[in-house]
Amino acid sequence: MSTKTKLELTWIGKEHRPRLEPRILIEDESLSHHASARRDGDHFDNILIHGDNLLALKALEASYTGLVKCVFIDPPYNTFSAIPNYEDGLEHSLWLSLMRERLQLLRNLMSDDGSIWIAIDDNEFHYLKVLCDEIFGRSNFFASIVWQHSVQGKNDAKTVSLHHNYILVYQKSPSFERNKLPRKDEHNVNYANPDNDPKGMWRSGDVRSPNYRENLRYSVTTPSGKKIPAPEKGWRWSQETFAQKVKSGEITFVNNEERVLRKIYLSEQDGRVPESIWFGDEVGTTREATNELRSLLGDREDLFPTPKPERLVERILRIATQPGDLVLDSFAGSGTTGAVAHKMGRRWIMVELGEHCESHVVPRLTKVIDGDDAGGITEAAEWKGGGGYRYFRMAPSLLEKDQFGQWVISKAYNPEMLAEAMCKQFGFTYGPSDEHYWLHGHSSETDFIYVTTNSLTHEQLQAISDEVGEDRTLLICCKAFQGTNADKFSNLTIRKIPGAILDRCEWGKDDYSLKIEALPLIEDEPETEPEPDATVRSRGRPRKADDAPSLFDAEGDA
């Protein structure tokens, strides 16, 4: 008896999976920015996150799963400069492992009618294609677009002068529908109206079936009674549809009724279907993108080395989104995706680990919001400024080791931060109640969570149980509790912290970046099973920082 297997890409260390900690996000109001006035259609809930993008995607999972309409990422194309033994497969394996984790989280965040667009070059394109087949499903491959990123010849090239990158596109499901692109005058040169057709300009179209269809091989009778035999592969439509098109005037007979003419009217064209090759004069080049950055930030040495032009991102968002849709870029780089999405009336989330998140992206977005960015697509989008965004940093790990090497709650966490972090751990939406001190979050209308570092007595548990009532349930996360008969409270579930969460994830790890020097050797990684995806029960939002001092000592779990 044969065993069913699936086609998949394998690499060194593929079985090793990180167990990510679902961090909370803390707003830095000094770097958040909003326009001074509000207009209809402005979006102020955009998010810029400074931190490791894998941890950031995990942090977003509880609140944004299934809500992102379009993902555009421009990841590092490869990292061969960091490892000299490029040909031994190790570097490819590391890159694939790092990308696999991010792509799976991105897929979780995408809506069913969403799509992902990945900029890549020849070094990893073919590996990435097979990896995406595995993650998104081969049937959800949508397109491979060739982008002419350079027009200047390179005479020092060792093989050929490279002028293209790729944009690999996958849909989350067949529910995705692409939009057409606007038509320009050059797209209408083949339309004319030589016969003064009242419907206006037209061009001729094919009436033959592109593939052989026996059921479409029928003879056609002209108005004067002539018979026209079927083309070799048959007509493009059924006999009934063909007759309707003759009646409407879309199909006529010319050359003494010996030839069939189909008219395609310009007035009925609502745009143009995107093509698979995008030339630099249409969507911009890397040089154009660099000039856009210089005009915004000045001619500084630390400009992002391979920016994407605004016109390129604009085309992607035109095809994949509508105004108000949510766009995500977890490799923000110079911030092009957020800038373009903002000008086009889309909502956006960006993540960037590097210091240029503050030194480059923040000033760029500030100028967009203030209406001081005159470059890129500003004129075409008729952008005048407006809207805003919130700047978040990743909270530190919830647990840290004390002087005795024991895991304890981090001193950086105040009570509100701890409550929100525990909500993420157990799949609750953080939302403290003004009425009930024991209600810090909910997973449904009748299921709640209470987080405290106090040790609870039997009397306190009894009082809480009475207040919760028979029709509601409460998860209590506390430092300790007294008595051995706590299970007598049928509406309470009690867990000690930090003991209840010690084995849930990797604690204290802040860097999962695409930098080889940040990676552990494969043989040093713990052999752990992948953590099952947590069920997202309801929607929440990142929090604002509370400057209250920590109330926690370094005592461990009882």
Side-chain angles (χ1 to χ4, degrees), residues 47-64:
I47 292 177
L48 175 60
I49 302 172
H50 184 201
D52 181 273
N53 63 5
L54 189 59
L55 287 171
L57 292 174
K58 187 66 178 177
L60 292 168
E61 195 174 32
S63 301
Y64 289 92

Side-chain angles (χ1 to χ4, degrees), residues 11-17 97 100 522 525 528-530:
W11 62 85
I12 301 170
K14 181 180 181 180
E15 70 277 9
H16 295 275
R17 308 294 298 270
S97 290
R100 185 261 311 271
I522 287 176
E525 293 179 352
T528 56
E529 293 295 326

Side-chain angles (χ1 to χ4, degrees), residues 21 75 111 115 162 178 192 220 264 293 316 371 382 412 476 496 541 553:
E21 176 187 356
S111 61
S115 61
L162 187 65
R178 61 103 177 97
V220 171
I264 299 177
L293 285 183
I316 291 171
E382 299 181 348
I476 298 178
K496 295 180 183 179
R541 284 293 181 266
D553 55 26

Side-chain angles (χ1 to χ4, degrees), residues 10-28:
T10 61
W11 62 85
I12 301 170
K14 181 180 181 180
E15 70 277 9
H16 295 275
R17 308 294 298 270
R19 296 183 303 129
L20 301 173
E21 176 187 356
R23 303 282 183 93
I24 63 173
L25 302 174
I26 302 175
E27 183 176 9
D28 185 342

Side-chain angles (χ1 to χ4, degrees), residues 472-489:
R472 297 185 292 190
T473 55
L474 180 68
L475 170 64
I476 298 178
C477 300
C478 61
K479 182 176 180 180
F481 58 91
Q482 295 179 1
T484 59
N485 58 346
D487 56 351
K488 68 168 287 188
F489 305 112

Side-chain angles (χ1 to χ4, degrees), residues 109-400:
L109 295 171
M110 290 165 57
S111 61
D112 286 341
D113 61 348
S115 61
I116 183 170
W117 305 63
I118 310 170
I120 199 70
D121 72 358
D122 278 317
N123 285 296
E124 298 291 357
F125 171 73
H126 306 87
Y127 289 91
L128 180 63
K129 170 65 170 64
V130 180
L131 177 62
C132 286
D133 282 346
E134 185 175 328
I135 293 173
F136 295 96
R138 190 171 184 180
S139 62
N140 286 318
F141 168 72
F142 189 78
S144 172
I145 295 166
V146 176
W147 167 49
Q148 183 190 23
H149 70 81
S150 171
V151 295
Q152 183 67 38
K154 302 174 180 64
N155 290 328
D156 59 347
K158 293 182 180 179
T159 54
V160 297
S161 181
L162 187 65
H163 290 264
H164 75 279
N165 284 166
Y166 300 96
I167 299 174
L168 186 61
V169 190
Y170 278 78
Q171 60 188 13
K172 175 76 173 285
S173 76
S175 298
F176 171 67
E177 294 184 6
R178 61 103 177 97
N179 302 317
K180 292 183 178 180
L181 295 171
R183 300 186 67 85
K184 298 181 180 179
D185 290 341
E186 58 263 31
H187 304 130
N188 303 330
V189 294
N190 293 324
Y191 288 84
N193 193 5
D195 58 351
N196 294 318
D197 192 308
K199 290 186 177 180
M201 300 177 69
W202 56 271
R203 66 174 178 84
S204 61
D206 205 335
V207 296
R208 299 168 297 179
S209 173
N211 302 305
Y212 181 85
R213 297 282 298 276
E214 181 62 35
N215 63 320
L216 298 182
R217 289 178 51 80
Y218 52 85
S219 61
V220 171
T221 303
T222 70
S224 65
K226 290 185 178 180
K227 296 283 188 180
I228 299 179
E232 181 180 356
K233 295 181 179 180
W235 301 105
R236 187 173 287 264
W237 313 275
S238 68
Q239 195 164 2
E240 181 182 355
T241 301
F242 194 103
Q244 292 174 349
K245 291 182 179 294
V246 172
K247 186 176 180 180
S248 68
E250 180 181 337
I251 290 179
T252 59
F253 302 93
V254 296
N255 295 348
N256 198 26
E257 292 190 343
E258 293 181 354
R259 176 170 166 256
V260 181
L261 174 67
R262 175 195 177 194
K263 291 184 175 181
I264 299 177
Y265 293 97
L266 178 59
S267 61
E268 296 175 354
Q269 306 309 305
D270 57 353
R272 63 187 179 97
V273 174
E275 299 166 349
S276 61
I277 300 178
W278 295 0
F279 293 101
D281 59 353
E282 297 176 338
V283 297
T285 61
T286 301
R287 176 172 292 186
E288 177 179 310
T290 301
N291 290 335
E292 289 172 355
L293 285 183
R294 286 194 179 118
S295 67
L296 284 170
L297 305 175
D299 193 9
R300 46 200 288 183
E301 294 183 358
D302 61 346
L303 287 178
F304 194 74
T306 55
K308 296 297 178 284
E310 290 198 8
R311 288 194 291 162
L312 176 70
V313 179
E314 178 199 30
R315 174 168 288 191
I316 291 171
L317 298 189
R318 278 192 180 277
I319 296 171
T321 67
Q322 299 288 349
D325 284 341
L326 181 59
V327 178
L328 171 61
D329 183 351
S330 55
F331 294 89
S334 60
T336 303
T337 301
V340 172
H342 205 97
K343 295 175 185 179
M344 295 179 67
R346 277 66 169 169
R347 297 176 298 124
W348 55 265
I349 299 174
M350 289 195 296
V351 184
E352 178 54 47
L353 174 62
E355 292 305 317
H356 54 274
C357 184
E358 185 173 333
S359 62
H360 291 60
V361 181
V362 167
R364 179 177 191 172
L365 294 175
T366 298
K367 289 190 174 184
V368 170
I369 291 166
D370 293 345
D372 295 331
D373 173 10
I377 67 164
T378 296
E379 184 177 351
E382 299 181 348
W383 177 250
K384 306 296 183 183
Y389 70 92
R390 301 173 68 189
Y391 187 100
F392 290 91
R393 301 184 189 277
M394 200 77 59
S397 182
L398 175 58
L399 301 186
E400 62 185 12

Side-chain angles (χ1 to χ4, degrees), residues 43 83 314 324 345 426 436 478 507:
H43 299 291
I83 290 183
E314 178 199 30
F426 289 100
H436 302 293
C478 61
W507 302 104

